[in-house]
Amino acid sequence: GEDVEQSLFLSVREGDSSVINCTYTDSSSTYLYWYKQEPGAGLQLLTYIFSNMDMKQDQRLTVLLNKKDKHLSLRIADTQTGDSAIYFCAETDSWGKLQFGAGTQVVVTP
Amino acid sequence: DSGVTQTPKHLITATGQRVTLRCSPRSGDLSVYWYQQSLDQGLQFLIQYYNGEERAKGNILERFSAQQFPDLHSELNLSSLELGDSALYFCASSESGSDTEAFFGQGTRLTVV
């Protein structure tokens, strides 16, 4: 099984908040990441959080980290149709190698 | 535009053949990573190079090899191709390899028929 787990699908109405959850296993990860992949495109880094932080906010994005439970979440406020994509949670080792989850497909409906 | 360039964008080849995928990292980035994205395996780390030297190896098959050249561009060689090698291959680069951010290219979509 994968070391990073996330739910596979999320449907959200335009204007609502989206919350994508992720669990990871490597407690030594220094940084945890959220990447976005739109159809036919590469991976875009959305945000990351340092492991000694609990929360990070960046415009519409809020990342919450619970180190005790190894749980990471990404909240997207005021979700727009342009937010429809696959979102990947990832942890990294000291060499910068990324271990990705399977990705959560977010579908935004009008 | 991430600044990481991968060529070609698409590649269709037959089983048993050999292909080379190319990656030009962002200017100044010393570390290059290769990842494979397939429907059944998801995003898997293959290999990392730092300033010309192999730094880390992941789930890379023996039929696959890579190298990083003095100008820091990297090539991923895939040989004796099988249908199951069909996937999207991503290259990423970062300044030192232990940075906060790796920048991804658009990927090369390989189809083996």
Side-chain angles (χ1 to χ4, degrees):
Chain A
E2 290 176 333
D3 296 331
V4 180
E5 294 189 355
Q6 47 184 131
S7 53
L8 295 182
F9 185 80
L10 176 67
S11 179
V12 61
R13 292 180 71 161
E14 193 175 6
D16 288 350
S17 291
S18 311
V19 179
I20 308 168
N21 294 301
C22 167
T23 57
Y24 62 97
T25 57
D26 187 354
S27 58
S28 67
S29 291
T30 307
Y31 295 97
L32 295 145
Y33 300 82
W34 285 102
Y35 279 85
K36 177 183 180 183
Q37 185 178 31
E38 294 180 81
L43 290 160
Q44 175 196 354
L45 178 66
L46 279 181
T47 187
Y48 62 89
I49 187 167
F50 190 49
S51 60
N52 69 354
M53 296 170 66
D54 298 323
M55 185 183 88
K56 179 179 179 182
Q57 187 152 3
D58 183 2
Q59 299 183 329
R60 292 191 298 121
L61 305 178
T62 303
V63 180
L64 294 177
L65 175 60
N66 180 329
K67 273 199 88 171
K68 176 175 163 293
D69 295 337
K70 297 194 183 73
H71 183 264
L72 183 73
S73 68
L74 174 69
R75 178 177 179 268
I76 306 173
D78 187 24
T79 311
Q80 304 297 307
T81 53
D83 295 323
S84 291
I86 301 176
Y87 291 80
F88 292 92
C89 166
E91 61 182 356
T92 187
D93 65 9
S94 57
W95 296 117
K97 180 190 87 178
L98 292 160
Q99 176 81 41
F100 288 93
T104 299
Q105 171 125 34
V106 173
V107 174
V108 182
T109 57
Chain B
D1 183 3
S2 68
V4 179
T5 304
Q6 289 188 247
T7 56
K9 285 190 170 45
H10 301 276
L11 198 48
I12 301 175
T13 191
T15 53
Q17 295 298 304
R18 173 190 166 94
V19 297
T20 297
L21 312 184
R22 183 187 167 100
C23 170
S24 294
R26 288 190 324 151
S27 177
D29 284 358
L30 298 178
S31 194
V32 169
Y33 309 79
W34 286 97
Y35 292 85
Q36 178 196 58
Q37 186 178 32
S38 62
L39 282 174
D40 55 343
Q41 297 289 324
L43 265 163
Q44 299 269 333
F45 167 73
L46 295 178
I47 198 162
Q48 179 194 3
Y49 279 83
Y50 176 76
N51 203 20
E53 300 286 326
E54 182 185 303
R55 179 178 260 186
K57 218 167 187 174
N59 300 322
I60 187 165
L61 300 171
E62 282 194 17
R63 299 183 284 108
F64 296 0
S65 65
Q67 57 185 129
Q68 187 178 27
F69 294 87
D71 67 353
L72 300 176
H73 91 271
S74 178
E75 293 182 355
L76 179 67
N77 300 296
L78 315 176
S79 62
S80 303
L81 284 166
E82 301 175 0
L83 296 177
D85 297 327
S86 296
L88 195 50
Y89 291 85
F90 285 111
C91 167
S93 75
S94 70
E95 194 174 317
S96 72
S98 55
D99 306 276
T100 56
E101 185 166 1
F103 294 84
F104 279 77
Q106 295 294 302
T108 293
R109 183 166 294 282
L110 173 66
T111 303
V112 183
V113 296

